[in-house]
Amino acid sequence: MSATDAAARREELVALYKEVSNCTKCPLHETRTKAVFGAGNADADLMFVGEAPGAEEDRQGLPFVGRAGQLLNELLVEIGLSREDVFICNVLKSRPPNNRDPLPTEIAACEPYLFEQVRLIEPRVVCTLGNFATKLLTGNPTGITRVRGTPQTHQLGGRTVFMLPLFHPAAALRTPAVKEQLRGDFATIPALLEKTLPEPLPSAAEIAVETASEDPEPPPADQLGFFGGTAG
């Protein structure tokens, strides 16, 4: 990645930040204090995706700044990283009233922002925090308890990434056993960051174009007469 490319991506990310800050695509803009775009390294190899901002995040305009965020910071330090090394965001950029579950219309409004963040930041590993983000981004209804800690490969924002489902830090604060499982799963992140990503699968459109561009096999000689030639 050249310095020019990196600078261009940052400019696009700043433009996206401004767009999110002024977004009125769903009714949540009427009740939020601040939109929560996300924060961290614009060139991060590691990205965390939670569900939605809480009260403190809504007030500060920053993700994971409460007790759950403090635990996330601690776990990062344990694997030799800090918040400055990663990028942290949520599926929703505005807080749902009373921290209720996101509605389908709200998800539809915010999803393009998340996918664009992945495209511009170019992470290798995306960690989903909790049930909601995991089910949404993996496209699988299986609960977090069954899939946590097992890396998956997905297309996200036009990129092939490793996706690592993790318990949400808030759940870990409530249950010591969950906290230890989360700590153990975090310990696998450094090795996953070093792993070679598989080649992206071709899209249906790419397959169609490739098939159409292939030269068809010539017909047998005894059929050439049907194509305007002279039969043998």
Side-chain angles (χ1 to χ4, degrees):
M1 179 63 66
S2 70
T4 303
D5 289 339
R9 285 192 295 107
R10 284 194 186 87
E11 284 184 15
E12 287 188 66
L13 203 59
V14 170
L16 186 65
Y17 169 82
K18 292 176 180 177
E19 184 179 347
V20 169
S21 298
N22 296 306
C23 181
T24 58
K25 290 181 180 178
C26 80
L28 290 182
H29 77 276
E30 299 171 0
T31 56
R32 73 182 180 220
T33 304
K34 291 181 179 178
V36 182
F37 179 76
N41 187 342
D43 300 308
D45 285 335
L46 178 59
M47 188 170 178
F48 291 89
V49 181
E51 178 177 331
E56 192 59 28
E57 288 77 15
D58 176 69
R59 189 179 71 81
Q60 295 189 35
L62 294 169
F64 284 86
V65 291
R67 291 182 62 227
Q70 292 172 8
L71 176 57
L72 188 62
N73 294 347
E74 293 172 17
L75 294 170
L76 283 170
V77 169
E78 289 178 10
I79 62 170
L81 297 172
S82 70
R83 285 183 75 118
E84 288 71 32
D85 300 314
V86 305
F87 194 89
I88 304 172
C89 62
N90 289 294
V91 174
L92 291 195
K93 309 308 184 190
S94 299
R95 182 195 181 199
N98 301 314
N99 293 344
R100 63 156 171 74
D101 288 343
L103 301 177
T105 52
E106 296 161 357
I107 297 166
C110 269
E111 260 187 333
Y113 294 140
L114 176 60
F115 295 154
E116 188 68 354
Q117 285 176 312
V118 174
R119 186 183 75 82
L120 293 172
I121 294 168
E122 299 185 346
R124 295 173 52 79
V125 177
V126 175
C127 293
T128 54
L129 300 173
N131 242 332
F132 182 85
T134 297
K135 289 180 179 181
L136 178 67
L137 295 187
T138 63
N140 190 316
T142 306
I144 186 67
T145 303
R146 292 184 58 186
V147 299
R148 52 142 282 264
T150 302
Q152 305 177 18
T153 304
H154 286 278
Q155 292 284 321
L156 193 63
R159 290 182 54 77
T160 300
V161 299
F162 287 123
M163 200 172 290
L164 182 65
L166 299 172
F167 281 127
H168 197 287
L173 289 172
R174 295 191 295 268
T175 310
V178 170
K179 184 176 181 179
E180 289 313 303
Q181 287 176 316
L182 178 58
R183 175 172 277 115
D185 291 342
F186 248 76
T188 69
I189 291 175
L192 189 58
L193 286 168
E194 296 299 322
K195 194 173 177 181
T196 302
L197 281 165
E199 289 296 318
L201 295 172
S203 67
E206 289 171 333
I207 292 172
V209 169
E210 185 175 334
T211 303
S213 66
E214 291 177 354
D215 292 327
E217 291 185 10
D222 61 354
Q223 292 183 16
L224 285 176
F226 294 104
F227 294 87
T230 302

